[in-house]
Amino acid sequence: QFDYLKTTSKSHHIMISAGILEDMFAGYGFEYLWFNPKNRYAIGFEAFDVYKRDYAMRFGLQEYSNVTGHLNFYYRNYGVIPFDAKVSYGEYLAGDIGGTFEISRSFKNGARFGIFASFTDVSSTQFGEGSFDKGFYFRVPNDLFSKKRSRGSTNLALRSMTRDGGQKLLNDGALIDAMRMRISSR
């Protein structure tokens, strides 16, 4: 994946990405973020033109493609138990439309643990168990024991069922994470 990050003014940030964006999808797209470190919240949107990858996991692509995009609202709580919250609304990889709610906790070493739930226009008979996507995840930085921070991490998400509904692009280079890492390294 190739990323180009540009800060156009103090609070406005853009990232353009292209390449193999996750295990199952390749493509290109961009993300915009309004982020001011003095505020507890940030607002952004993302849009990606994605193509399903060949099952051989090389550079081949299948016929399936979709344009996916989300409007995102981020909130960071600095209280007794600090947490991050994210609410997204938009079109998912399978073409369904809906929202995702996420709560996570980040640590100084870059690790993050969280839970999420996605509710879309896929019917409960099509989706199955619980009629929505839900689960928890954790992210551990690849350089956990190094003093120098990079953007690479190991991610694991556990869901009750793996279905097409409510699936977002698992882009490891989210712009909000890059901005927060930039602030914490100062």
Side-chain angles (χ1 to χ4, degrees), residues 92 99-101 116-120 131-134 165-168:
Y92 294 84
T100 298
F101 304 93
F116 65 91
S118 295
F119 302 88
T120 70
S131 75
F132 65 97
D133 187 33
K134 67 258 182 209
Q167 297 294 315
K168 292 181 77 171

Side-chain angles (χ1 to χ4, degrees), residues 41-58:
Y41 63 91
I43 300 170
F45 64 88
E46 59 195 52
F48 288 90
D49 189 7
V50 294
Y51 302 86
K52 192 165 188 176
R53 292 183 61 204
D54 192 339
Y55 293 119
M57 295 305 210
R58 295 195 178 106

Side-chain angles (χ1 to χ4, degrees), residues 51-157:
Y51 302 86
K52 192 165 188 176
R53 292 183 61 204
D54 192 339
Y55 293 119
M57 295 305 210
R58 295 195 178 106
F59 295 106
L61 300 174
Q62 296 182 17
E63 289 186 28
Y64 181 80
S65 67
N66 188 26
V67 175
T68 178
H70 285 85
L71 179 62
N72 302 310
F73 176 79
Y74 306 91
Y75 176 78
R76 179 162 266 189
N77 178 42
Y78 295 103
V80 175
I81 300 175
F83 68 88
D84 294 323
K86 178 181 175 184
V87 178
S88 299
Y89 181 81
E91 184 171 333
Y92 294 84
L93 291 169
D96 50 330
I97 296 174
T100 298
F101 304 93
E102 179 181 324
I103 296 178
S104 64
R105 174 101 190 257
S106 299
F107 297 89
K108 290 180 182 180
N109 63 5
R112 176 185 293 163
F113 300 89
I115 59 172
F116 65 91
S118 295
F119 302 88
T120 70
D121 59 359
V122 175
S123 71
S124 60
T125 53
Q126 285 178 306
F127 196 89
E129 181 184 310
S131 75
F132 65 97
D133 187 33
K134 67 258 182 209
F136 67 93
Y137 66 91
F138 60 90
R139 175 185 294 172
V140 179
N142 292 338
D143 54 2
L144 186 61
F145 301 106
S146 171
K147 291 182 181 179
K148 186 177 179 183
R149 295 279 177 240
S150 70
R151 287 182 47 194
S153 63
T154 300
N155 302 308
L156 178 65

Side-chain angles (χ1 to χ4, degrees), residues 147-184:
K147 291 182 181 179
K148 186 177 179 183
R149 295 279 177 240
S150 70
R151 287 182 47 194
S153 63
T154 300
N155 302 308
L156 178 65
L158 299 172
R159 299 175 146 84
S160 59
M161 296 187 75
T162 303
R163 301 286 178 127
D164 291 338
Q167 297 294 315
K168 292 181 77 171
L169 189 63
L170 298 174
N171 190 352
D172 192 28
L175 189 51
I176 188 74
D177 295 333
M179 292 296 101
R180 287 178 177 160
M181 188 171 15
R182 183 185 285 181
I183 298 303
S184 67

